[in-house]
Amino acid sequence: MTSTAKPDTAMAAAYGLAACAVLMWGITPAITAIQVSEIPALQAGMMRSVFAVPPALLCIYFMRLAAPKDTRTWGWLMLAGFAAFCGFPILFTLGIARTSTAHAALILACMPVVSGGLGAILDRRMPRAGWFMGAVVALVGEAILISSRDSSGEATLTGDLLCIMAAIISGTGYVAGSRATAKIGTWSTTFWGVAVVGLVQVPVLIWITDINAWTSITYVGWSSTLYMVMFSTVLAYAAWYWALNHGSVVRIAPVQFAQPVVSLIFAVILLSEVITMPILISTVMILSGIVLASRAQRIAVQAPQLKESEDTK
């Protein structure tokens, strides 16, 4: 009884933390749009990670978080850190300044396909036919989304392409982060990644920023930045890495299905964006494709385990 209870409890905790991370990330596109209304996009993207360095260093010190002890783990950590705390925030912030929140949210919806596919490659497993079918359906939905333009002109091709690059980099970071977490733990992966990658960006942020411009930022800009630092960057990534490590990439990645729905809801509530018919069609196709792909991945992972169990019997 105890042996089955522990895995069930761990999986429940993994799904719960993954849901919290997805909720925090789901609100992120709308908060980012608010942030870039006051702060230049490149500066805003870097502030998200640079301002997280002090709390990260404090956590490393007081929690006595160990750094990686081998080159391979350092490699996973640096790749995860670059993707999560440099590549993604900068590209996504630049993208959302040039496109609508709805477009950005649906583009990010394809991250489970990216992370799941990379996870299969690293595990040396050929994805099943269902994964390819789902990926094609999702990509067609993305193509419909990117080719559609609303009358307001908010969504541009340049902005959509920047968000696509951000999604690919972020999906790569998820996989690398789960590998680093398996070696050094959730908190070490998160806070060492923030500290190292954030510190590298400090001189660049100082160079590109007009110091006098800080005084023109209102409480709205600072509040949105605080949310991006503490919730979207620190807490969300810590929760997500823990969930990936204890629940596996293949099982936890589908929780992100809810992220675009949350993002669309907050785009309407906070920014009064209009959800057009092409966006609705894209939403259905993207989510359907991701469901197909993720279901095929789960079957691929579970099949060898079932066979091994039967052979043992």
Side-chain angles (χ1 to χ4, degrees), residues 4-308:
T4 57
K6 287 184 178 179
D8 290 344
T9 302
M11 279 305 302
Y15 279 121
L17 286 173
C20 289
V22 166
L23 176 62
M24 288 184 276
W25 282 329
I27 306 173
T28 294
I31 300 298
T32 303
I34 294 171
Q35 185 188 28
V36 298
S37 67
E38 288 200 5
I39 305 171
L42 180 59
Q43 179 182 331
M46 288 191 172
M47 286 169 65
R48 176 173 171 176
S49 299
V50 170
F51 283 17
V53 170
L57 290 174
L58 287 174
C59 289
I60 290 172
Y61 179 77
F62 286 107
M63 296 172 68
R64 300 180 183 276
L65 299 177
K69 293 181 172 58
D70 59 272
T71 304
R72 185 180 181 84
T73 306
W74 266 113
W76 288 124
L77 176 66
M78 294 307 298
L79 177 57
F82 171 80
F85 309 121
C86 181
F88 172 77
I90 290 175
L91 288 172
F92 184 71
T93 306
L94 289 171
I96 209 166
R98 295 168 174 80
T99 193
S100 68
T101 303
H103 273 231
L106 290 176
I107 288 170
L108 292 187
C110 276
M111 284 196 295
V113 173
V114 176
S115 56
L118 288 172
I121 292 172
L122 289 173
D123 292 338
R124 297 181 180 179
R125 290 182 289 101
M126 173 63 72
R128 298 170 67 93
W131 184 89
F132 289 105
M133 291 175 58
V136 169
V137 172
L139 289 175
V140 171
E142 293 284 4
I144 293 173
L145 176 73
I146 293 169
S147 62
S148 68
R149 294 287 172 260
D150 53 32
S151 57
S152 67
E154 286 185 1
T156 67
L157 179 60
T158 301
D160 287 349
L161 291 176
L162 284 167
C163 289
I164 288 172
M165 293 171 61
I168 293 173
I169 288 176
S170 184
T172 304
Y174 288 166
V175 177
S178 69
R179 297 302 195 276
T181 298
K183 294 289 187 180
I184 60 175
T186 302
W187 298 113
S188 291
T189 300
T190 302
F191 293 126
W192 274 103
V194 172
V196 175
V197 177
L199 282 171
V200 171
Q201 296 177 75
V202 169
V204 181
L205 178 61
I206 294 173
W207 181 62
I208 67 171
T209 302
D210 179 5
I211 303 301
N212 295 325
W214 295 108
T215 59
S216 64
I217 301 175
T218 69
Y219 75 94
V220 174
W222 287 117
S223 297
S224 58
T225 300
L226 179 63
Y227 178 88
M228 301 302 292
V229 171
M230 295 307 301
F231 291 91
S232 294
T233 301
V234 177
L235 296 179
Y237 276 102
W240 188 251
Y241 286 156
W242 194 95
L244 290 178
N245 187 40
H246 289 76
S248 83
V249 173
V250 171
R251 292 184 179 182
I252 296 301
V255 177
Q256 286 187 307
F257 297 158
Q259 187 169 323
V261 178
V262 173
S263 297
L264 291 177
I265 291 172
F266 278 94
V268 174
I269 294 174
L270 297 179
L271 304 173
S272 301
E273 288 196 4
V274 177
I275 306 302
T276 62
M277 185 55 67
I279 289 177
L280 289 176
I281 293 172
S282 298
T283 301
V284 173
M285 293 194 68
I286 291 168
L287 293 182
S288 298
I290 296 171
V291 168
L292 283 172
S294 297
R295 183 176 181 275
Q297 284 180 307
R298 287 198 301 274
I299 293 173
V301 170
Q302 292 170 357
Q305 296 175 347
L306 291 173
K307 185 178 184 301
E308 183 179 346

